[in-house]
Amino acid sequence: MQKNKVRKAVIPVAGFGTRLFPATKVVKKELFPIIDRDGRAKPVILAIIEEAISAGITEVGIVVQPDDKEIFEDFLKNPPKKELLNKLSPQNQEYSRYLEDLGSKITILLQEEQLGYGHAVFCAKDWVQDEAFLLMLGDHIYASDIDKSCASQLLDVYEQVNQSVVSLTTTPAENLHTSGCVTGVWQEFNAILEVTELYEKPTIDYAQQHLRVQGMVENEFLCIFGLYLLTPKIFDFLAEHINQNFRERGEFQLTSCLDRLCQEEGMRGYVVKGKCFDTGLPDAYRQTMIDFRNC
C-alpha cells in the first residue's frame, strides 16, 4: 500500500448524549465547556480539533445530525456578532480570528439517521475518499506526557509501520465493560503491539481467556485510548455490514470492522504516552474539569 501523508481527521458527533441528559437536551455534549491549561474556557470539540491540528492534520470532517448542522457551523464558521466582538479583550479578539482560520479547515458532514458509531464513521467515506485518516472520538480529550501531542505520536507510528494503528492504554479488568480491548504480540514492549484481535466491551472471563498480553500484570489489559489511524479499507467492511444490515446491540458498530481490517491488512497498537479524559459521563466529565487544566 502506498504511504502518503495523513491530511484528514474525522470526528463523529452525531450521538444524542443520553448519558448526560437532561443537559444535552439544550447543549450538545461536544459543546460542553472545559478549562484548558492556559485557563481558557472552550467547548470540548475545539480541544479535539486542536489535537488534530497539532499532529499536522489540515482538514477536519465533523459528522453531525442534520438538525445540529447550524449549531456547529455557527461556532466553527461564523465570527461573533459585532457588539460581542467589540467587548472582547484584545487577546480574545485575536483568538476569535484564530477560530475563523480554524473554521476554514472544517467540513461539516451529515449522518441522516443515527444508526451507530460505525455508521457515523461510514458517513465520512465520500469526504475521506482513498486516504488514510485520523479518527477521533467526540467526547475524549488528551494531554501528552511528552513534547509531542498524543495524535502526533500516533501519526509517527503510522509513518513507521504503514498500517492502521490504534491507540492503547492500560486498563484494569473491572473497567473492560466500557472499552474496546485488544490483544497481540509486542514488537516493542509497552510501546508497539502487533494486534491479533479486537473485541468490544468484553467480559472479564472472556478477556482473561482470550485477550491477555504477555508481560502485563494479571488483571490489566490493553484498551483503546480513543484515537485511530485507519486506512480507507475500513469503509469496505462498514459498507458490507450496512448493506447486509448486520447490527450489534441494534446498531452498526466499528470494532468488529476494525477486527476484520486487522485480519486482512494487519494492524499495530501504540501505547500512548499521555492521558485520555472522558467527557461523555457525568462523573468522568466532572473529574476532567478538575484534572485537565493541571496536566
Side-chain angles (χ1 to χ4, degrees):
M1 182 178 64
Q2 183 178 0
K3 178 166 62 176
N4 295 304
K5 182 175 174 59
V6 179
R7 302 185 306 116
K8 294 182 178 180
V10 173
I11 311 172
V13 299
F16 291 107
T18 53
R19 295 176 297 181
L20 288 167
F21 183 86
T24 46
K25 189 177 180 186
V26 290
V27 180
K28 295 292 296 181
K29 69 176 180 177
E30 296 82 14
L31 299 177
F32 278 25
I34 52 133
I35 310 299
D36 70 13
R37 64 198 69 185
D38 297 324
R40 184 178 296 279
K42 61 178 62 171
V44 167
I45 188 67
L46 178 56
I48 301 170
I49 294 168
E50 289 176 329
E51 177 77 21
I53 299 299
S54 76
I57 295 296
T58 57
E59 300 180 50
V60 178
I62 301 179
V63 183
V64 308
Q65 296 182 32
D67 289 346
D68 295 332
K69 180 181 180 183
E70 186 176 346
I71 298 171
F72 284 96
E73 284 188 337
D74 186 54
F75 170 62
L76 294 166
K77 300 286 190 178
N78 300 331
K81 292 181 180 179
K82 185 176 180 180
E83 53 267 35
L84 170 58
L85 186 64
N86 290 338
K87 290 183 178 181
L88 295 178
S89 67
Q91 293 83 3
N92 277 335
Q93 288 184 13
E94 182 179 347
Y95 199 82
S96 179
R97 290 189 288 272
Y98 158 76
L99 289 178
E100 287 186 59
D101 180 64
L102 204 63
S104 69
K105 300 177 173 67
I106 307 299
T107 299
I108 304 296
L109 308 169
L110 298 183
Q111 184 186 23
E112 298 288 349
E113 296 181 84
Q114 280 54 66
L115 300 176
Y117 189 70
H119 183 266
V121 174
F122 183 75
C123 291
K125 178 182 185 298
D126 291 342
W127 179 76
V128 171
Q129 297 186 341
D130 60 352
E131 300 181 37
F133 66 102
L134 176 66
L135 175 64
M136 312 176 79
L137 300 180
D139 55 8
H140 284 59
I141 55 178
Y142 310 93
S144 177
D145 291 337
I146 60 175
D147 289 341
K148 288 192 173 183
S149 70
C150 298
S152 292
Q153 295 174 45
L154 202 68
L155 265 68
D156 282 352
V157 175
Y158 172 75
E159 290 289 330
Q160 295 173 34
V161 302
N162 198 30
Q163 285 183 330
S164 294
V165 185
V166 294
S167 60
L168 302 175
T169 188
T170 302
T171 302
E174 58 267 24
N175 292 340
L176 291 177
H177 65 284
T178 66
S179 305
C181 190
V182 311
T183 189
V185 179
W186 289 116
Q187 301 297 293
E188 182 181 334
F189 182 70
N190 207 30
I192 298 177
L193 187 81
E194 183 179 348
V195 178
T196 56
E197 182 183 355
L198 299 96
Y199 197 92
E200 182 70 13
K201 299 177 181 177
T203 64
I204 293 176
D205 286 345
Y206 184 91
Q208 288 175 337
Q209 290 183 44
H210 302 285
L211 302 174
R212 299 279 304 134
V213 177
Q214 187 174 7
M216 295 192 63
V217 174
E218 183 176 352
N219 285 319
E220 288 189 341
F221 298 86
L222 290 175
C223 288
I224 294 174
F225 183 80
L227 298 167
Y228 311 77
L229 200 297
L230 302 177
T231 68
K233 185 70 175 176
I234 189 66
F235 294 119
D236 294 346
F237 301 125
L238 289 168
E240 186 178 317
H241 279 199
I242 292 167
N243 291 335
Q244 295 178 359
N245 199 28
F246 177 73
R247 304 185 186 217
E248 299 163 272
R249 301 183 301 280
E251 296 182 326
F252 298 109
Q253 301 293 344
L254 178 68
T255 303
S256 55
C257 292
L258 289 175
D259 191 56
R260 292 185 63 191
L261 182 67
C262 175
Q263 306 310 321
E264 179 149 328
E265 288 191 340
M267 181 178 290
R268 303 296 173 91
Y270 171 70
V271 181
V272 178
K273 296 177 177 66
K275 301 175 184 66
C276 177
F277 297 90
D278 189 344
T279 62
L281 291 165
D283 287 344
Y285 174 61
R286 179 177 59 194
Q287 198 62 45
T288 293
M289 291 288 285
I290 296 168
D291 293 341
F292 182 66
R293 183 178 178 180
N294 298 319
C295 283

